[in-house]
Amino acid sequence: MLNEQLKEKFRQVVENKFQIYNSLFMSLPYDKMTNIGMLLPFLYEESKVGYEVGKDPLQIVEEFFTKHTELRTEEQKLELLFKIIQYIERQVVLFDSIEDAAFSKLHSESDAGTVMQLHERSVQENKLDEIRAKMKDFAVRVVFTAHPTQFYPNAVQGILHDLRGAIMEDSVTEIDTLLQQLGKTPFVNKEKPTPLDEAMSIIYYLRYVYYETIGELYKKLKNRFGTKDYVPNPNIVQLGFWPGGDRDGNPFVTADITLKVAEELRGNILKCYYGHLKNLRRRLSFRGITEILEELSQQLYHSIFHSEELISAEEILSKINAAEKILDEYHNGLFRELLDDFRDRVKIFGTHFATLDIRQDSRVHQQVVDSIISKKSDLNVENLSSEDKLRWLLETDIVLNPAEFEGITKETLQSIINVKEIQKKNGERGMHRYIISNSDEIKDVLYVYAFFKLCGYKVEDINIDIVPLFETIEGLGNAQDVMRQLYELPLYKKHIEKRGNYQTIMLGFSDGTKDGGYLKANWEIYETKERLTKISEEYGIKVIFFDGRGGPPARGGGKTHDFYASQGKTIANHKIEITIQGQTITSVFGNKDQAKYNFEQLLTAGLENDVFKNSAKDLAENERRLLQELAEISFKKYSDLKSHPMFVPYLQEMSTLQYYGRTNIGSRPTKRGSGNELKFEDLRAIPFVGSWAQLKQNVPGFFGFGFALNEMKKSGRFDEVRALYKGSDFFRTLVLNSMMSMNKSYFPLTSYMKNNSKFGGFWNILNDEYELSKKMMLELTSFEMLQQEEPLSRKSVKIREKIVLPLLSIQQYALMKIQKGEGNTEAYEKLVTRSLFGNINASRNSA
């Protein structure tokens, strides 16, 4: 659809519906909330007009009380503000549901990046055989994490799902009933979820969304690209899973929890097969086949409820093949396509459903190593170099018993021993990767290899991919040397050969951006991928890049299809692997229509990259030099900001950073260190980026970018940057993603801070860079407004920002009260914490 048609369609199916159904809130039987719907527009108007004329949130909210209410006591005012927050939270849910319900009306099967469009282009350009060949050497893996960015409790997610369905049917009665339920349903978890709770929340999507979605997508690929002699690889779309296996900074993920999550994954895929088979048997009611499928059904049932009675994917496939043989020989192949579909699901999901990864920080492994050597040798750990420790670990014949140790050492060793049990039950695909955060040196990878040896694994039984995660700017810089050393090491070379000469390397966008700023991090990762591609090819190894990407551009998110489609042939393209977390699961992969569309977008981005080579994807030498210059200039600007003495105090005192841990949305602590002092390096990327988003400043998504552009302009080289923007898909994607971050910023909200004696100068630095970045990017793109070429996204952002503006006013009002030490501090702190939910949910990707 053309932009104008899209905007009109959005107005009809989203904006209009929101206005209509939003009016139902007015009559809902909320406790003491009957007049909230009438008061809210006044608070919005006071906020909108107030910020335009330079008023601060304290003035705005107090004037709202004076002009539009008769409330006089602090207790009465606080009660009203809490009710307004509850009301806005539910408005956000309604808008989410309406927008999600409209997805299929705003997106077409033939849109750019869909399987249909890829097929049509392949036919037109005579590239079908090349696409088929690439499909043999390509896959997409989406890895679901439990990172705490999902603020909807499970009960609310259930309502959201039902509400979306009711809106699609335009059932006013059902919508009204669900909104009443929403009004009575708490939005806050009383306690933090456990890692198992987090896992079950995402397994819900595996079972009720992705089982069907990926099955249907594979069927579409077979229909479009399959021939009599060619069938697409059923593992072309894969699922990964971190809840219950991601130990990095989460002391609540234990070896026992990992086993339980693996069992839940196995049990739930078998339940999917059992239900699927039940429907299949209604059609395949033929003599000879009925008996086979009945037996298979009984086996699945027993394996679901008796975990010791294992059934493998191979056994299930064997039964399906036996049924197929009878179907073809005696029943004319009737309903064979239904049997084929069931078999395809088993090939796709095995008995694992999603691959459960283990992840741990290299610094924790160092503690484990020291603990082992101290207990099992006569050596003095204090006097040993890293090389000495590694030599002892690899040469000793000792087999360790986890029970001999305590704490993290015991847990680490037990989790490694459990890999064998998980692989036995769920298949090797069920768990075959160990990811090491903060990898900087060769020892970080080899320690993990040594752990398996120490736990009694024979070399030939170490069926695990050891995955270094390079995430800081320093780590990215060391990556090439680390991998070269590993590739040249006979012991590791033999291990990689056993793993099919594939090496997965993870790159951290979130922590990279936090460490180096937006432009520098993205360019550093791009160059690191190029260097790692080159060195891997030298050693005959196929490298797979696993990108740790979050929702917003500041954590590597944004326009994901455009990002992957923009990578040239200098970067290995055997697989696209990305992390998907929290809100992005629900907002991008939360229902079948969205999930299918976005899986297709990822898949076609990778396939297009190789087959339809576009010169705009490959950077010329002069373009590379220019990008390097821009990255270095912006890095210097961002580094100066990070080293500013007010940087951490500003986040600690003026933002919502310290309140993230009180929201009970995730099991993981909000910082890595255990001390009371807040250090930049201990800050988690999610609360770090999220706190900037709550301030409506989104600093990590743009800071330094505008400064770098302006430096080029001052030196008379802006035409070079314009040429880079027009000629490089990669650079253009970075610019557009950064503009998205800026479009969700609103500095008038915090302009009162410029008068703060302690932080006024720091706020001005942030505001000046925002204004400069906005000005320079509009000049660069020739746009009149941010996100000009993305009408749907722009309109969605505009409505969402309108919904939450009163909420932002309340949050800043409460923060100002706390800073001034006025009134009931405890109540105002609760007000800040509660305000986080609606703001984050409305932002969808937290930027």
Side-chain angles (χ1 to χ4, degrees):
M1 281 187 255
L2 298 174
N3 279 355
E4 288 306 314
Q5 291 176 311
L6 271 176
K7 284 195 286 187
E8 177 57 23
K9 194 72 177 173
F10 187 91
R11 188 186 68 80
Q12 293 172 356
V13 298
V14 178
E15 286 185 83
N16 285 355
K17 281 193 175 183
F18 180 64
Q19 294 301 327
I20 293 167
Y21 296 139
N22 193 35
S23 65
L24 293 173
F25 277 105
M26 304 286 280
S27 59
L28 291 185
Y30 294 124
D31 180 33
K32 300 180 185 177
M33 285 178 67
T34 51
N35 65 338
I36 301 295
M38 291 178 281
L39 284 173
L40 194 53
F42 293 116
L43 180 54
Y44 168 76
E45 200 60 32
E46 291 288 346
S47 299
K48 180 174 177 290
V49 175
Y51 294 127
E52 287 172 357
V53 298
K55 292 180 181 178
D56 66 42
L58 203 59
Q59 291 173 291
I60 287 168
V61 175
E62 289 295 355
E63 286 182 17
F64 161 73
F65 285 134
T66 303
K67 291 182 187 177
H68 306 288
T69 76
E70 296 179 356
L71 305 178
R72 295 294 175 261
T73 69
E74 181 182 50
E75 186 180 356
Q76 290 172 327
K77 292 176 181 178
L78 281 166
E79 183 180 22
L80 177 62
L81 293 179
F82 275 112
K83 296 300 182 186
I84 289 175
I85 288 174
Q86 291 173 25
Y87 191 93
I88 293 173
E89 284 172 342
R90 286 151 178 82
Q91 281 188 311
V92 172
V93 172
L94 176 62
F95 187 77
D96 280 349
S97 302
I98 290 169
E99 196 168 37
D100 291 347
F103 188 87
S104 60
K105 294 177 182 175
L106 297 169
H107 298 85
S108 164
E109 284 273 329
S110 57
D111 281 356
T114 58
V115 166
M116 183 183 292
Q117 189 262 352
L118 177 68
H119 182 263
E120 287 173 357
R121 186 177 177 188
S122 303
V123 171
Q124 289 168 4
E125 298 186 26
N126 200 26
K127 299 274 190 180
L128 266 175
D129 287 341
E130 288 182 53
I131 286 286
R132 290 180 182 125
K134 180 60 190 172
M135 281 183 176
K136 294 177 183 176
D137 179 44
F138 186 73
V140 164
R141 180 178 292 189
V142 172
V143 180
F144 299 101
T145 80
H147 292 169
T149 62
Q150 175 52 263
F151 278 58
Y152 289 139
N154 288 347
V156 175
Q157 288 189 55
I159 298 170
L160 200 150
H161 177 271
D162 295 340
L163 191 55
R164 181 170 55 236
I167 290 165
M168 290 176 78
E169 299 294 325
D170 283 323
S171 173
V172 178
T173 304
E174 189 177 355
I175 292 166
D176 184 57
T177 304
L178 289 167
L179 290 179
Q180 289 187 51
Q181 182 188 357
L182 196 64
K184 295 287 186 180
T185 303
F187 271 52
V188 182
N189 294 318
K190 287 185 178 179
E191 298 176 352
K192 281 181 178 289
T194 67
L196 186 59
D197 293 333
E198 291 170 330
M200 295 308 296
S201 178
I202 298 175
I203 286 172
Y204 170 89
Y205 287 97
L206 298 185
R207 187 170 173 186
Y208 296 104
V209 178
Y210 307 134
Y211 181 76
E212 290 298 332
T213 298
I214 293 174
E216 289 170 10
L217 174 54
Y218 180 67
K219 189 189 296 183
K220 185 189 284 190
L221 287 170
K222 279 177 69 176
N223 291 339
R224 286 280 169 181
F225 295 98
T227 66
K228 184 181 178 183
D229 303 314
Y230 171 79
V231 179
N233 172 16
N235 296 128
I236 197 166
V237 179
Q238 305 166 11
L239 300 177
F241 206 81
W242 274 15
D246 182 8
R247 289 157 167 67
D248 181 9
N250 193 338
F252 307 109
V253 176
T254 63
D256 186 50
I257 286 288
T258 306
L259 281 177
K260 287 178 180 175
V261 171
E263 185 59 38
E264 288 292 345
L265 286 166
R266 189 188 75 88
N268 274 276
I269 189 56
L270 296 184
K271 288 173 185 175
C272 286
Y273 293 154
Y274 184 80
H276 193 152
L277 186 58
K278 189 176 180 181
N279 291 329
L280 185 63
R281 288 168 63 198
R282 291 175 66 181
R283 292 291 168 267
L284 297 179
S285 52
F286 314 138
R287 184 173 289 114
I289 295 177
T290 301
E291 293 78 4
I292 293 172
L293 298 186
E294 167 66 24
E295 185 182 349
L296 176 57
S297 184
Q298 288 296 322
Q299 279 184 279
L300 288 170
Y301 183 86
H302 286 297
S303 193
I304 290 166
F305 296 104
H306 306 281
S307 60
E308 70 282 357
E309 295 186 31
L310 298 179
I311 184 169
S312 69
E314 290 71 28
E315 288 177 273
I316 300 172
L317 290 170
S318 174
K319 289 277 197 299
I320 295 170
N321 292 338
E324 180 189 54
K325 188 176 180 184
I326 295 171
L327 189 68
D328 286 345
E329 286 183 14
Y330 301 105
H331 306 292
N332 302 319
L334 189 61
F335 297 125
R336 182 177 175 172
E337 72 281 0
L338 300 180
L339 196 62
D340 282 344
D341 181 41
F342 184 47
R343 175 172 33 222
D344 289 340
R345 306 289 176 97
V346 178
K347 287 180 178 178
I348 292 166
F349 299 112
T351 51
H352 66 289
F353 216 157
T355 299
L356 183 58
D357 291 337
I358 296 178
R359 184 172 76 130
Q360 184 56 283
D361 192 287
S362 64
R363 293 166 293 190
V364 172
H365 287 159
Q366 187 64 64
Q367 296 171 29
V368 173
V369 167
D370 290 350
S371 170
I372 291 169
I373 294 175
S374 296
K375 192 173 184 72
K376 306 302 288 187
S377 80
D378 298 326
L379 301 171
N380 185 343
V381 173
E382 299 290 328
N383 299 331
L384 294 179
S385 67
S386 296
E387 290 76 12
D388 293 333
K389 293 175 184 178
L390 186 58
R391 191 178 301 112
W392 185 89
L393 290 170
L394 292 172
E395 291 178 358
T396 184
D397 292 326
I398 291 172
V399 174
L400 301 176
N401 179 357
E404 295 180 62
F405 298 87
E406 295 180 350
I408 193 64
T409 304
K410 179 181 179 180
E411 280 295 327
T412 300
L413 296 175
Q414 189 60 55
S415 69
I416 285 170
I417 287 171
N418 289 349
V419 169
K420 194 174 285 186
E421 182 180 344
I422 291 170
Q423 289 187 341
K424 180 184 175 184
K425 288 185 173 183
N426 293 26
E428 188 178 315
R429 286 194 290 163
M431 176 172 279
H432 62 85
R433 306 203 302 193
Y434 198 119
I435 299 158
I436 310 130
S437 305
N438 279 299
S439 292
D440 292 320
E441 301 176 49
I442 183 174
K443 68 175 176 60
D444 297 329
V445 172
L446 295 178
Y447 280 167
V448 172
Y449 182 86
F451 290 158
F452 276 87
K453 228 175 120 283
L454 289 166
C455 286
Y457 285 75
K458 295 177 182 176
V459 169
E460 60 271 20
D461 293 334
I462 304 176
N463 299 317
I464 203 89
D465 299 320
I466 305 174
V467 182
L469 164 52
F470 302 105
E471 46 194 333
T472 63
I473 297 300
E474 182 183 359
L476 292 166
N478 293 342
Q480 182 180 9
D481 289 339
V482 170
M483 296 316 299
R484 182 185 293 279
Q485 291 175 61
L486 284 169
Y487 292 159
E488 289 183 348
L489 196 69
L491 172 147
Y492 195 74
K493 185 179 178 183
K494 188 176 179 182
H495 177 69
I496 293 184
E497 284 173 0
K498 186 174 176 297
R499 302 303 296 161
N501 277 322
Y502 281 94
Q503 172 67 53
T504 301
I505 299 173
M506 190 171 179
L507 302 162
F509 282 79
S510 295
D511 283 286
T513 304
K514 180 188 137 218
D515 191 40
Y518 178 68
L519 185 55
K520 172 69 172 176
N522 276 276
W523 176 238
E524 191 70 31
I525 288 171
Y526 189 96
E527 283 200 303
T528 300
K529 283 185 176 182
E530 288 186 316
R531 291 192 292 267
L532 292 173
T533 296
K534 188 175 180 183
I535 195 172
S536 299
E537 288 173 351
E538 281 178 29
Y539 289 89
I541 292 162
K542 288 185 174 180
V543 64
I544 293 167
F545 294 116
F546 177 17
D547 293 335
R549 297 166 68 89
R555 295 209 323 280
K559 299 161 72 65
T560 308
H561 173 270
D562 290 352
F563 178 85
Y564 286 107
S566 73
Q567 294 186 162
K569 57 180 178 286
T570 54
I571 293 175
N573 184 37
H574 305 296
K575 206 170 189 180
I576 288 176
E577 293 206 12
I578 59 171
T579 52
I580 297 291
Q581 55 197 245
Q583 288 170 307
T584 315
I585 296 173
T586 53
S587 65
V588 179
F589 294 88
N591 61 63
K592 290 177 186 177
D593 288 335
Q594 289 172 311
K596 187 153 63 70
Y597 183 87
N598 286 297
F599 278 126
E600 286 188 33
Q601 292 285 313
L602 281 173
L603 184 62
T604 59
L607 295 171
E608 287 171 4
N609 227 344
D610 268 26
V611 177
F612 304 113
K613 291 183 173 64
N614 182 338
S615 59
K617 295 174 186 174
D618 299 317
L619 294 163
E621 194 53 43
N622 64 313
E623 292 177 320
R624 304 181 73 86
R625 285 196 300 270
L626 182 56
L627 258 168
Q628 183 66 39
E629 281 187 76
L630 288 165
E632 289 304 326
I633 295 168
S634 73
F635 180 48
K636 175 68 168 62
K637 181 72 173 174
Y638 181 74
S639 297
D640 288 346
L641 182 74
K642 269 189 357 182
S643 61
H644 193 290
M646 290 297 107
F647 188 89
V648 172
Y650 179 81
L651 280 174
Q652 199 164 15
E653 296 178 41
M654 305 302 282
S655 83
T656 58
L657 182 67
Q658 61 178 305
Y659 299 94
Y660 260 78
R662 307 181 191 183
T663 55
N664 291 337
I665 60 163
S667 65
R668 191 173 70 171
T670 56
K671 69 185 187 79
R672 281 189 168 98
S674 57
N676 292 326
E677 182 187 354
L678 183 64
K679 297 177 183 176
F680 177 80
E681 56 270 24
D682 289 337
L683 279 176
R684 286 280 183 189
I686 289 170
F688 174 74
V689 173
S691 296
W692 290 114
Q694 291 282 326
L695 284 167
K696 286 295 164 188
Q697 293 175 352
N698 288 326
V699 164
F702 69 83
F703 198 90
F705 208 153
F707 179 80
L709 295 175
N710 195 44
E711 288 298 291
M712 288 295 164
K713 184 179 180 181
K714 286 197 293 189
S715 60
R717 299 175 59 193
F718 203 61
D719 284 344
E720 290 179 47
V721 185
R722 277 204 183 94
L724 181 65
Y725 174 77
K726 290 176 181 176
S728 165
D729 290 351
F730 173 71
F731 183 64
R732 184 163 57 254
T733 301
L734 295 187
V735 170
L736 295 176
N737 275 341
S738 193
M739 291 176 93
M740 183 197 299
S741 282
M742 288 192 290
N743 199 33
K744 293 183 180 181
S745 299
Y746 185 62
F747 274 81
L749 175 73
T750 55
S751 64
Y752 70 91
M753 294 182 188
K754 66 187 173 189
N755 300 317
N756 185 291
S757 58
K758 184 175 180 180
F759 296 111
F762 187 78
W763 185 89
N764 280 319
I765 291 172
L766 305 178
N767 184 59
D768 290 348
E769 179 61 16
Y770 168 79
E771 293 296 343
L772 180 62
S773 294
K774 181 178 177 181
K775 175 189 168 191
M776 296 310 302
M777 287 192 197
L778 290 177
E779 186 175 342
L780 174 64
T781 58
S782 299
F783 290 175
E784 294 179 6
M785 64 185 79
L786 298 172
Q787 290 193 284
Q788 183 172 305
E789 291 187 342
E790 300 168 72
L792 293 190
S793 178
R794 193 175 70 250
K795 286 179 79 68
S796 177
V797 168
K798 187 177 179 181
I799 295 170
R800 289 173 180 278
E801 296 298 294
K802 182 177 179 179
I803 293 171
V804 298
L805 186 60
L807 199 55
L808 292 166
S809 293
I810 292 170
Q811 182 183 93
Q812 287 298 317
Y813 170 79
L815 285 168
M816 291 179 78
K817 284 283 193 180
I818 294 165
Q819 289 153 16
K820 288 174 178 285
E822 293 179 359
N824 186 342
T825 300
E826 184 182 349
Y828 287 120
E829 287 182 340
K830 286 181 181 177
L831 203 61
V832 173
T833 304
R834 279 307 309 273
S835 68
L836 291 170
F837 292 74
N839 287 334
I840 285 286
N841 289 333
S843 295
R844 283 239 148 162
N845 65 13
S846 305

